[in-house]
Amino acid sequence: MTATDDVSPEFAAATSTAQRVTINGNELAVEVLGPEGAPVILTHHGAPGLGSRAEPRASFGRLADEYRVIVFDARGSGASEGSGTFSHEQWAADLDALREWAGAERVAIAGGSYGGFMAMEYAVRYPERVAAVVLRDTSPDHGNAHLARDNALASDRVTVDMEKFDRIDQGRVRDDDDLRDCWREILPLYDFVYDPDAVERKVAATPYRYEAHNYAFSVNLPAYDLKPQLPGITAPTLVTVGRTDWITPVSCSQTITELIPDARLVVFERSGHSPQIEEAEEWTRVVRNFLHETYPPAPAAGPTTAAGRA
């Protein structure tokens, strides 16, 4: 575990030291891991207003022995500033400005869940900058919302307060405390194995930024649909998903794989929404093998570092 000793980094504030980098007029918390001169993996975390760089740092950071891995708290999330808009266009522009800041002509773009939305958005908006795409537990459109609601109603783990479910799902939470309360309601649905104590640890560790969450879910997602653009992605694409993912079910990943030419799908049978944690060794092996094939690391790269350019 990277965020703390006993909390999964999937939903936790980052505890590692970050640089403060001004990107498009907004100060972001950024970390650059891995050898200088190595091919760059540019990541985007999930759950705007709830997620942080801790998750991609833990998962894609495993590849920093061979790749230059950039992780950051997105505008409005984690420890980053939250000025301006939280649109997909703005978040994608922030990704491209980070690529330029890092001095990379092309990158592997990677993300899970909402971070997968942004990885696909980036590949659609900046195709000439993308050498490979790695997706995890994500969806090509907002069609996953009704599937997630049905799965929440059908859950035999807990009885979900659907008033709270609808408020968090529709971006109508009142403040950070209300976001925390609604988040607690749906967290039991995420993992392959349900652990009530782990849920409470995650609730305590999550960084709450309700403005970004509300904007993402009330403004961005109702119109989110990349299906018409996905056939135009020509970069090699890997799609990974947990078999029992409740919020972006396997069918969503199947649709992505059918639409992106030559995309490959790997389903992890003993994972929920987080195979990069629940089947970490196998997930990392699959991603590394895919990148070795499509975006190989530079030979004889220098020593690994945890600092980027100043």
Side-chain angles (χ1 to χ4, degrees):
M1 301 287 180
T2 302
T4 69
D5 289 340
D6 59 357
V7 179
S8 161
E10 175 73 8
F11 302 120
T15 57
S16 50
T17 302
Q19 300 178 69
R20 307 296 299 184
V21 181
T22 299
I23 296 293
N24 293 329
N26 193 94
E27 192 175 82
L28 302 181
V30 181
E31 294 184 64
V32 182
L33 314 172
E36 292 186 13
V40 171
I41 302 173
L42 180 59
T43 72
H44 201 291
H45 64 77
L50 289 163
S52 80
R53 67 187 188 277
E55 186 277 319
R57 190 185 199 283
S59 53
F60 290 98
R62 300 173 198 138
L63 305 174
D65 57 336
E66 298 183 300
Y67 291 90
R68 193 90 162 146
V69 181
I70 299 175
V71 302
F72 70 105
D73 292 344
R75 178 185 299 248
S77 293
S80 288
E81 188 181 354
S83 62
T85 182
F86 306 125
S87 67
H88 286 189
E89 180 179 11
Q90 182 63 71
W91 280 330
D94 290 349
L95 278 166
D96 199 54
L98 275 169
R99 175 203 58 77
E100 184 175 8
W101 170 81
E105 285 296 315
R106 300 174 78 217
V107 299
I109 187 71
S113 196
Y114 206 113
F117 301 172
M118 291 313 308
M120 287 183 284
E121 287 273 10
Y122 186 81
V124 165
R125 293 171 185 268
Y126 302 91
E128 71 283 1
R129 300 302 186 187
V130 178
V133 182
V134 179
L135 305 174
R136 192 265 305 158
D137 296 84
T138 192
S139 177
D141 61 16
H142 196 38
N144 70 295
H146 75 85
L147 299 173
R149 196 176 197 279
D150 290 347
N151 287 337
L153 284 167
S155 173
D156 59 2
R157 292 182 174 183
V158 291
T159 300
V160 178
D161 182 329
M162 296 310 292
E163 190 273 334
K164 292 179 181 178
F165 179 97
D166 288 339
R167 284 197 295 109
I168 193 170
D169 184 60
Q170 296 167 12
R172 295 188 288 108
V173 300
R174 295 182 291 270
D175 53 30
D176 288 346
D177 288 340
D178 189 38
L179 180 57
R180 179 185 296 107
D181 192 36
C182 293
W183 186 229
R184 177 182 282 109
E185 198 67 27
I186 64 173
L187 263 175
L189 304 175
Y190 277 86
D191 293 336
F192 185 75
V193 176
Y194 174 42
D195 180 349
D197 291 336
V199 167
E200 286 305 311
R201 292 195 296 270
K202 292 177 186 178
V203 170
T206 298
Y208 297 94
R209 303 283 296 276
Y210 83 98
E211 296 95 339
H213 170 84
N214 277 355
Y215 193 101
F217 281 77
S218 67
V219 179
N220 294 342
L221 290 189
Y224 171 65
D225 185 359
L226 291 179
K227 294 195 304 297
Q229 287 78 43
L230 292 185
I233 294 178
T234 59
T237 300
L238 172 67
V239 185
T240 66
V241 63
R243 175 63 71 187
T244 65
D245 186 346
W246 77 279
I247 193 166
T248 50
V250 171
S251 61
C252 299
S253 289
Q254 291 171 331
T255 299
I256 294 169
T257 309
E258 290 164 2
L259 289 172
I260 297 178
D262 299 320
R264 63 191 76 176
L265 172 65
V266 180
V267 180
F268 291 84
E269 298 296 335
R270 296 190 58 79
S271 293
H273 190 60
S274 305
Q276 82 286 10
I277 294 169
E278 295 181 297
E279 295 181 74
E281 184 175 343
E282 179 62 12
W283 182 88
T284 304
R285 185 192 66 80
V286 167
V287 173
R288 190 185 293 274
N289 287 348
F290 167 76
L291 290 174
H292 278 187
E293 176 187 339
T294 62
Y295 186 57
T304 299
T305 68
R309 53 191 270 185

